[in-house]
């Protein structure tokens, strides 16, 4: 049986990711196929780095919860928090996860803003309540953390396939542009 994972992302960040990947890819395809030249393979690298950046912000950066705990991906850094190590999910200058050892982990996807500060973060409060509900569903009966259980904070992590897939697609377009020249 597959492990249930619940991912939390802001819808407009996902829209930025889609537009940020499709825009540079479509723009590159249009330029390369209309005006093919010898620098297209290098241009594909530049455009794919642009697209990859938007993918990192809008899709890769997320909060994921499963039976083991919470995983907070922030651009290139992954924070893994087992349920017993998590004390509370708070809204304090953005969404934060307070650990039993006193450390807090913030997340890019649900960071603070001036508008949120002025309005009391109503959206983030609803998201935090949904996350607490997910925590109750996925981790029934989790007690205090055993003495040896710690969170893995600040570990570098990026899945290699999305940037490579974007790059391979744009390089294919560059090669086709050079072949039809």
């Amino acid at each position: 049986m597959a492990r249930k994972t619940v991912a939390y992302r802001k819808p407009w960040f996902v829209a930025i990711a889609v537009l940020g990947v499709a825009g540079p890819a479509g723009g590159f395809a249009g330029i390369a196929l209309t005006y093919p030249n010898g620098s297209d393979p290098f241009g594909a690298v530049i455009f794919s780095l642009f697209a990859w950046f938007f993918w990192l912000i809008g899709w890769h950066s997320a909060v994921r919860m499963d039976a083991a705990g919470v995983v907070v991906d922030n651009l290139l850094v992954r924070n893994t928090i087992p349920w017993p190590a998590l004390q509370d999910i708070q809204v304090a200058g953005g969404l934060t996860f307070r650990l039993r050892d006193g450390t807090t982990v913030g997340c890019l996807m649900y960071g603070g803003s001036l508008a949120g500060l002025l309005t009391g973060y109503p959206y983030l409060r609803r998201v935090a309540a949904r996350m607490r509900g997910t925590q109750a569903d996925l981790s029934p009966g989790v007690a205090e953390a055993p003495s040896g259980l710690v969170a893995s904070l600040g570990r570098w992590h990026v899945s290699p396939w999305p940037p490579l897939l974007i790059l391979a697609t744009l390089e294919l377009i560059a090669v086709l542009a050079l072949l039809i020249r």
Side-chain angles (χ1 to χ4, degrees):
M1 181 175 166
R3 199 161 96 172
K4 179 182 177 185
T5 301
V6 179
Y8 288 90
R9 294 180 182 91
K10 284 184 178 176
W12 53 89
F13 272 46
V14 173
I16 287 171
V18 169
L19 294 174
V21 171
F28 176 77
I31 291 168
L33 295 172
T34 306
Y35 308 102
N37 64 47
S39 65
D40 286 344
F42 179 70
V45 172
I46 301 292
F47 276 83
S48 66
L49 287 173
F50 227 177
W52 180 55
F53 173 75
F54 285 104
W55 174 82
L56 277 174
I57 291 174
W59 190 260
H60 176 73
S61 295
V63 176
R64 294 173 185 85
M65 298 177 158
D66 62 18
V70 181
V71 175
V72 181
D73 284 320
N74 292 321
L75 287 180
L76 303 173
V77 177
R78 172 170 277 184
N79 298 289
T80 305
I81 307 166
W83 288 124
L86 180 65
Q87 181 174 338
D88 192 20
I89 301 171
Q90 304 174 327
V91 177
L95 189 74
T96 58
F97 298 88
R98 178 168 298 285
L99 307 183
R100 294 193 192 282
D101 67 2
T103 336
T104 58
V105 175
C107 59
L108 173 73
M109 185 61 63
Y110 295 104
S113 68
L114 180 58
L117 183 65
L118 295 174
T119 60
Y121 294 107
Y123 175 72
L124 289 186
R125 291 189 189 289
R126 289 190 305 271
V127 170
R130 284 189 7 238
M131 286 183 179
R132 286 186 206 104
T134 302
Q135 177 184 11
D137 291 343
L138 294 175
S139 66
V142 171
E144 292 289 321
S147 60
L149 186 63
V150 294
S152 169
L153 304 178
R155 197 181 82 217
W156 290 94
H157 171 78
V158 172
S159 176
W161 71 264
L164 292 176
L165 181 63
I166 294 167
L167 178 61
T169 302
L170 295 184
E171 287 295 345
L172 179 63
I173 292 168
V175 169
L176 288 174
L178 290 173
L179 291 176
I180 64 170
R181 181 163 81 141

